[in-house]
Amino acid sequence: MAASASASSSSSQVPCEKYDVFISFRGSDTRYGFLSHLMKELRRKNIDVFVDYRLERGDEISSALVKAIEGSMIALVIFSKDYASSKWCLEELVKIIECKEANQQIVIPVFYGVDPSDIRHQKGTYAKAALHDEEKFNDKVEIWRSVLKKSANLTGYDLSNFQ
């Protein structure tokens, strides 16, 4: 798959080509289970996918990641138990919702082991993450809460009982 090979060859640049799908996920929850099976099937179907395996983590989402999100036709957001505990995931989600609203990018939420209403109303692990973040990132918490709610209101796949 050309896009994946290109993305793996450089950790700081994303090729100009568009991806079919950008996947946002919390690695510790899904990387070696659900995500690996999903990636195998997408590759089998020759779907160009961008997954942020090789990008450096930091305080700000990198320009390479922004370009990958902007250059994707579809954003697949895998909401898992600890998705909201990652500032990086929340910042990805902000950019994804911006692209949906500005460019009509298709956003498909997948609720993996979490109830969509927990995300919509920030209950359970999503309440804990938001409260923790409020102490550190009070200027961003309202934006994060808003994009979580918008995302959870989209039609997606509820795999809340699948683990």
Side-chain angles (χ1 to χ4, degrees):
M1 188 161 47
S4 291
S6 297
S8 332
S9 66
S10 172
S11 64
S12 63
Q13 291 186 344
V14 174
C16 295
E17 63 200 53
K18 291 192 176 242
Y19 297 95
D20 295 322
V21 179
F22 175 90
I23 301 179
S24 178
F25 64 99
R26 178 76 167 136
S28 59
D29 288 349
T30 62
R31 184 180 312 274
Y32 300 110
F34 179 74
L35 181 66
S36 63
H37 295 292
L38 176 63
M39 291 294 298
K40 179 180 176 185
E41 287 304 308
L42 292 172
R43 285 187 186 114
R44 193 172 67 78
K45 298 282 186 179
N46 293 318
I47 296 172
D48 291 330
V49 179
F50 183 91
V51 176
D52 66 351
Y53 286 128
R54 301 210 187 274
L55 294 176
E56 294 294 320
R57 300 291 180 181
D59 291 336
E60 303 284 322
I61 63 173
S62 71
S63 61
L65 186 60
V66 169
K67 287 178 187 174
I69 293 169
E70 290 173 344
S72 297
M73 293 186 314
I74 298 169
L76 186 67
V77 182
I78 303 173
F79 289 108
S80 56
K81 184 181 77 159
D82 291 326
Y83 183 90
S85 68
S86 166
K87 179 180 178 277
W88 187 271
C89 287
L90 293 169
E91 289 297 309
E92 281 180 2
L93 189 60
V94 169
K95 185 62 185 173
I96 288 167
I97 295 302
E98 285 175 4
C99 288
K100 176 187 180 353
E101 292 173 350
N103 307 320
Q104 286 71 49
Q105 182 181 60
I106 298 167
V107 178
I108 303 171
V110 175
F111 306 100
Y112 178 77
V114 295
D115 189 306
S117 69
D118 285 354
I119 298 164
R120 190 175 299 113
H121 303 293
Q122 278 106 56
K123 299 186 306 190
T125 58
Y126 281 74
K128 220 184 319 183
L131 291 173
H132 175 71
D133 289 338
E134 238 167 352
E135 296 169 10
K136 290 182 176 179
F137 311 110
N138 60 357
D139 58 328
K140 294 187 176 197
V141 170
E142 285 308 311
I143 295 168
W144 293 342
R145 287 180 188 222
S146 173
V147 296
L148 284 167
K149 186 173 183 172
K150 286 177 184 181
S151 302
N153 283 330
L154 297 172
T155 302
Y157 295 95
D158 184 355
L159 306 177
S160 57
N161 295 319
F162 179 85
Q163 292 186 42

